[in-house]
Amino acid sequence: MRSNLLCWEEPTLKPKLDSEITCPACGHKEVETMPEDACQYFYECKGCRALLKPKPGDCCVFCSYGDTPCPPIQLDQSCC
């Protein structure tokens, strides 16, 4: 006799891809879309044109200056 067992799949978590990045030099805020498969090391502020790079210990500008960490960090994966 064959049983009718249901297989439950783990829900696939999707990271949030939008992050509001705040420039530490001028305070300008901009919502940006983060790449899903890479870290963004540089970001040019749209307010003052300052070139941002991650703080020591952070993998990308979104982890340093964004309101949402990058997708690999959100998913507890190793970052770039």
Side-chain angles (χ1 to χ4, degrees):
M1 181 172 201
R2 193 171 135 176
S3 73
N4 290 330
L5 296 177
L6 295 177
C7 294
W8 294 98
E9 291 184 22
E10 289 288 321
T12 303
L13 299 176
K14 292 288 283 175
K16 181 180 173 192
L17 298 180
D18 291 333
S19 182
E20 183 177 57
I21 194 164
T22 303
C23 177
C26 72
H28 179 80
K29 296 177 186 240
E30 190 80 28
V31 175
E32 297 287 354
T33 300
M34 298 180 282
E36 286 188 69
D37 57 353
C39 293
Q40 187 168 331
Y41 196 76
F42 294 108
Y43 177 81
E44 184 178 343
C45 174
K46 291 185 172 106
C48 69
R49 302 287 185 214
L51 186 62
L52 307 183
K53 30 185 215 180
K55 294 177 185 176
D58 285 343
C59 63
C60 70
V61 292
F62 292 105
C63 288
S64 292
Y65 306 107
D67 66 352
T68 303
C70 68
I73 296 298
Q74 291 179 51
L75 298 174
D76 291 326
Q77 297 173 349
S78 64
C79 206
C80 307

